[in-house]
């Protein structure tokens, strides 16, 4: 059985970036993915905006996406929200992304990924963070291999250092958890 992934734009996001993520996720994951792109962007929920920080609370964005897509996700179907705004969680200044496994939603926040990057580098960062967050949705934890896409990134330098690939150990965990039909 394929894992279903809906790539969902939230806020102002370039559709060509979503199509790139769709194609690369299906090609690079060690398990079979059925990836689709939503052409209907969701608006960012004002209730998740923190005016003093000028950022969105990532956990609230994920909950909002889950509520809007409740009929489309669940079981082996997940949502990957690509968000055109800056996000954070309590205790951190920002996040590149956040996975909420219990509700089947992960989000990736694009503004910081664009910093100091041409289009190719930005898209590679977007892909790495999308793979990372989807890996969490599929049950992976952070990896201690700094080259693995599942390693934790606290800066753009750390995102840039890791590969857009799972290490052998993480790939094996995915294959064991999500066998091909």
């Amino acid at each position: 059985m394929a894992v279903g992934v809906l790539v969902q734009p939230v806020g102002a996001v370039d559709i060509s970036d979503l199509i790139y993520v769709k194609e690369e996720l299906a090609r690079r994951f060690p398990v079979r993915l059925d990836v689709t792109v939503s052409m209907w962007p969701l608006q960012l929920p004002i209730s998740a905006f923190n005016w003093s920080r000028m950022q969105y609370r990532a956990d609230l964005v994920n909950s909002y996406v889950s509520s809007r897509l409740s009929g489309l996700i669940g079981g082996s179907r997940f949502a990957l929200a690509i968000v055109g705004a800056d996000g954070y969680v309590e205790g951190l200044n920002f996040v590149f992304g956040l996975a909420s496994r219990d509700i089947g939603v992960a989000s990736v926040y694009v503004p910081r990924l664009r910093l100091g990057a041409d289009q190719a580098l930005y898209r590679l960062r977007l892909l790495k963070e999308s793979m990372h967050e989807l890996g969490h949705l599929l049950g992976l934890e952070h990896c201690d291999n700094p080259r693995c896409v599942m390693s934790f990134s606290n800066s753009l330098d750390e995102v840039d250092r890791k590969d857009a690939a799972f290490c052998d150990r993480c790939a094996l965990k995915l294959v064991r958890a999500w066998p091909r039909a």
Side-chain angles (χ1 to χ4, degrees):
M1 165 189 267
V3 174
V5 180
L6 175 63
V7 180
Q8 175 65 54
V10 179
V13 179
D14 188 330
I15 268 309
S16 68
D17 291 342
L18 305 180
I19 293 167
Y20 167 79
V21 166
K22 170 197 184 303
E23 292 170 355
E24 291 297 315
L25 286 177
R27 191 169 71 78
R28 293 176 186 253
F29 253 75
V31 297
R32 198 168 126 230
L33 298 181
D34 179 16
V35 185
T36 56
V37 174
S38 171
M39 295 299 167
W40 293 275
L42 296 175
Q43 295 304 312
L44 282 156
I46 195 67
S47 60
F49 191 70
N50 182 321
W51 288 95
S52 65
R53 294 178 65 130
M54 301 302 285
Q55 294 173 297
Y56 286 87
R57 263 189 53 191
D59 59 323
L60 296 180
V61 171
N62 285 3
S63 293
Y64 169 78
V65 170
S66 175
S67 71
R68 299 305 242 184
L69 302 178
S70 62
L72 301 174
I73 58 176
S76 64
R77 296 176 307 173
F78 302 93
L80 175 65
I82 307 298
V83 183
D86 197 24
Y88 79 99
V89 294
E90 292 298 329
L92 294 177
N93 291 333
F94 68 91
V95 292
F96 294 122
L98 178 69
S100 301
R101 190 161 189 230
D102 57 324
I103 58 174
V105 175
S107 51
V108 175
Y109 295 81
V110 301
R112 289 180 191 266
L113 298 175
R114 288 188 186 280
L115 295 175
D118 61 15
Q119 183 70 353
L121 179 57
Y122 157 68
R123 280 196 169 164
L124 186 57
R125 289 172 175 172
L126 177 61
L127 173 63
K128 290 174 186 180
E129 292 308 305
S130 296
M131 291 176 70
H132 180 96
E133 298 307 334
L134 186 53
H136 283 317
L137 283 185
L138 298 183
L140 294 179
E141 300 295 330
H142 286 137
C143 181
D144 60 4
N145 178 344
R147 302 294 301 194
C148 179
V149 77
M150 290 309 298
S151 67
F152 177 75
S153 297
N154 197 37
S155 69
L156 288 173
D157 286 339
E158 291 173 347
V159 173
D160 293 342
R161 273 195 292 270
K162 64 185 174 182
D163 297 326
F166 296 95
C167 69
D168 291 343
R169 188 177 49 177
C170 288
L172 183 59
K173 287 179 185 176
L174 281 174
V175 169
R176 286 182 175 160
W178 299 93
R180 293 178 181 258

